Amino acid sequence: MRTQSKISFLLLFAALALFMVSCSKEGTTPDEPTVSTNNSLSSFSFSKANNPKLTENCQATFAFGNQYWITVPEGVDLSSLVPTFAVDSKATVKVGTTTIQSDGQPVDFTKTVTIAVTSESGSTRNYMILAKNGNTKIDNMVYSFMI
């Protein structure tokens, strides 16, 4: 009977020791922070608040692929408009080699502008913004048929 008790005790001790060793945190690596891959441009506009010459807020219409169309009222100078846009909080936005912020500095939109959105992971996606003067209500109806 004593032999059986000793064997039970040794088995219990071995199981407990194995359990303690298996719970050790040595050799594990801490969780690495997740890096965002989001390089989406989810909205683009020109607000009247940032562009005093505008008579209304102008919202871009998503076109094909990575193209956005936006109409501003007739007579508004396209060479110095301050864009408002939404991207991931960890993404950077560039026009050419210049980093821009939403509601920040003015950009020349007299020609099609390429906006590069770079995610935190470093992947870049280019968006083409075509701004033109016209009648916003009519153009937005036309854009809806072109999509």
Side-chain angles (χ1 to χ4, degrees):
M1 200 59 144
R2 282 188 170 247
T3 307
Q4 192 174 11
S5 294
K6 285 182 183 180
I7 293 175
S8 295
F9 177 77
L10 286 175
L11 286 175
L12 180 61
F13 181 78
L16 184 58
L18 193 60
F19 177 75
M20 296 294 277
V21 170
S22 68
C23 290
S24 171
K25 290 189 177 187
E26 286 183 39
T28 61
T29 57
D31 292 335
E32 292 186 24
T34 304
V35 176
S36 173
T37 59
N38 186 350
N39 57 8
S40 297
L41 177 68
S42 54
S43 69
F44 188 90
S45 64
F46 298 124
S47 72
K48 186 177 173 185
N50 295 327
N51 298 282
K53 294 182 180 178
L54 289 178
T55 55
E56 60 187 311
N57 292 326
C58 303
Q59 181 68 41
T61 301
F62 177 71
F64 304 102
N66 295 343
Q67 296 178 0
Y68 283 88
W69 297 324
I70 187 165
T71 300
V72 296
E74 290 289 344
V76 173
D77 182 14
L78 299 176
S79 68
S80 186
L81 292 170
V82 177
T84 300
F85 50 84
V87 296
D88 185 84
S89 63
K90 296 182 179 180
T92 57
V93 179
K94 287 187 177 184
V95 173
T97 58
T98 305
T99 301
I100 63 169
Q101 302 292 323
S102 181
D103 301 321
Q105 60 275 26
V107 176
D108 182 356
F109 286 93
T110 55
K111 296 180 180 174
T112 301
V113 173
T114 299
I115 292 181
V117 180
T118 304
S119 71
E120 181 183 27
S121 69
S123 64
T124 300
R125 188 172 183 188
N126 291 323
Y127 295 88
M128 307 296 284
I129 310 294
L130 173 60
K132 68 176 202 70
N133 295 105
N135 183 315
T136 306
K137 290 179 176 122
I138 292 173
D139 285 351
N140 285 340
M141 283 190 297
V142 171
Y143 295 153
S144 67
F145 287 104
M146 294 173 69
I147 298 176

